[in-house]
Structures are given as C-alpha cells and as structure tokens.
Amino acid sequence: MGISSSHTEGGVTVVTLDFPPVNAVPSGGWFALADAVRDAGDDPATHVVVLRAQGRGFCAGVDIKEIQRSEDRQAVLAVNRGCAAAFGAVYDCAVPVIAAVHGFCLGGGIGLVGNADVVVASDDATFGLPEVDRGALGAATHLSRLVPQHLMRALYYTARSIGAAELHHHGGVYQVVPREELDAAALALAREIARKDTRVIRRAKEAINGIDAQPVRRDYRFEQGFTYELDLTGAADEARRAFLDGKAR
C-alpha cells in the first residue's frame, strides 16, 4: 500500500498508486510519488515511466479526511505543497511519463494526468474536477491541457466528469482500450518509446518542455492561492464537512 516502483524489461519503470479504497492520496503520499517519479527519471536505466494505480480507480484526489482531522491549517499547506511536488515531478521527469488511467480520475488525479506526456485510458475511465463542490480550487491548469478552453470551464464550473472516449476525441487521451488491456497497452507504448536512443528521448523531453507555452508550475501555484483563501474564509471547511457528511450537492 502506498507508492511502489518496479522495473520491467526494456527500460520501463512502473510507478503504482495504491491507497485503498479509492486512492485518495494523503499529503505524505504526494511527496512519496514525487520522489518515486523523480528517482525513476534520474536512473539512467529508466527510459520511460508508466504511472498507474491499483484498485477501483486511478485517483480520487487528496485525502479530505486528513485535512478535516487537522486542527490547524498545516494539513492544507502540506497537501498543497505535496500536490505541487508530485505534479511538477511528472512534468519535469527526465524521461516520458505515460499515465495509465482506469475508473475515476478526479482532482489531484487530473494534475498528474495533465502533466504526463501521454495518456492511455480504459474505456470505463472518467475524468473530472469536483473542486468547486469541495470548497477548493486547483488543477484547471492541468485540465486545460486535456480539453479545449471552453469545455474546461464548463467542466470546472459544473464539477462534471468526462469519459475517456470523449477525451480521446479532443486529443487529451492517446488511446482507449478495454479495462483488462490497459496495463498491456501502456507497457507496449512505453516499450516502443524505450527502444529509441534514450539520449535522444531525454533531450526531446527537455526540448518539448522548454517550448511549452504554459508555465504549469507557476499557474498551478497561482490557483492554490485561492484554495488557501477559501480555507481562510471558512468556505472550504463547510464544503468538506458537507461532503464527508454525505450532504454535498
């Protein structure tokens, strides 16, 4: 349980999230994920990273219960910094990162997927940001990398989710496969890339990030400032309490 890494033949490192029951990741888990992805990219034997998850879905976002248990705002700060570290590690990883997504991909899951290089999804995968219903903001930066601007705004304001097939239509998902074929499809794509000269691919990753028009780290930290503002006003606490009490709209 937690974050684990395994090395497969052909230079592929698989990083797995496993936080039962729904992969709601605690603050320490985000930092552990950042370390695992960063370490994989720093390893010369790794040519590609596959980011996947165990359980019912890819990721349900942050562990809201951890935040509510905190008597001060240190948990909010820890989660904010942990998410920023994990999302940044995926984006800055020295080698391509392929996200293999099944089931639900919510909140912080969008931050991971939006910063990945390639997304492969199972046909039951759904993607969404329920942040406005939780009294928080964040990951619009990353959702905007998966769908066009106006669709991102509609999904963000309504907290609705979008299916893998529709995301594939908009180019946010590279490939949609049956659930039972997801890991094999992600590994097959990873191995195809891994067979290239890793010296070239590593420079290609650096070059592509260098010409990216969106400063993802800055944009996400800007969003997080409003999350903290909502926490200070009490709006976030009310929304989290309502969600945990089963009364969220």
Side-chain angles (χ1 to χ4, degrees):
M1 189 172 74
I3 303 296
S4 62
S5 297
S6 61
H7 304 281
T8 73
E9 294 181 4
V12 179
T13 294
V14 179
V15 177
T16 300
L17 288 77
D18 187 11
F19 293 91
V22 294
N23 281 325
V25 182
S27 56
W30 293 109
F31 286 110
L33 177 57
D35 289 342
V37 172
R38 190 181 305 111
D39 289 347
D42 290 344
D43 182 354
T46 297
H47 294 190
V48 180
V49 171
V50 171
L51 180 59
R52 64 177 298 279
Q54 288 287 93
R56 291 160 48 189
F58 178 76
C59 182
V62 304
D63 185 352
I64 293 178
K65 292 181 180 179
E66 176 189 27
I67 297 174
Q68 287 302 92
R69 286 193 301 266
S70 176
E71 296 182 358
D72 55 23
R73 294 188 171 85
Q74 293 306 306
V76 173
L77 292 175
V79 166
N80 276 4
R81 290 191 173 277
C83 284
F87 303 167
V90 170
Y91 184 79
D92 292 329
C93 184
V95 299
V97 177
I98 297 173
V101 182
H102 73 280
F104 45 81
C105 178
L106 303 171
I110 295 293
L112 297 173
V113 170
N115 268 1
D117 293 276
V118 185
V119 183
V120 177
S122 60
D123 51 14
D124 68 341
T126 58
F127 302 76
L129 288 178
E131 265 61 358
V132 296
D133 286 343
R134 308 289 187 265
L137 299 174
T141 295
H142 311 94
L143 184 59
S144 68
R145 299 170 69 79
L146 299 171
V147 298
Q149 177 71 202
H150 285 84
L151 177 56
M152 180 276 288
R153 290 172 182 253
L155 293 171
Y156 200 81
Y157 296 146
T158 61
R160 292 181 180 177
S161 293
I162 185 172
E166 189 172 357
L167 208 56
H168 179 262
H169 170 76
H170 291 289
V173 165
Y174 174 71
Q175 185 180 14
V176 180
V177 298
R179 173 76 169 265
E180 63 273 14
E181 298 176 15
L182 178 61
D183 284 335
L187 284 172
L189 178 59
R191 286 168 178 152
E192 180 180 349
I193 297 171
R195 285 194 293 270
K196 310 292 185 182
D197 187 329
T198 189
R199 297 170 298 179
V200 177
I201 294 298
R202 284 171 178 264
R203 297 292 76 77
K205 174 70 182 277
E206 186 177 1
I208 291 171
N209 279 7
I211 63 170
D212 197 336
Q214 185 178 31
V216 292
R217 281 183 174 274
R218 186 204 68 185
D219 288 0
Y220 179 58
R221 291 298 276 168
F222 178 80
E223 287 187 75
Q224 285 187 321
F226 292 99
T227 294
Y228 195 64
E229 181 178 319
L230 289 170
D231 202 72
L232 289 174
T233 65
D237 184 64
E238 292 173 14
R240 289 192 298 262
R241 193 182 311 117
F243 172 70
L244 294 174
D245 290 344
K247 300 177 182 178
R249 291 188 295 274

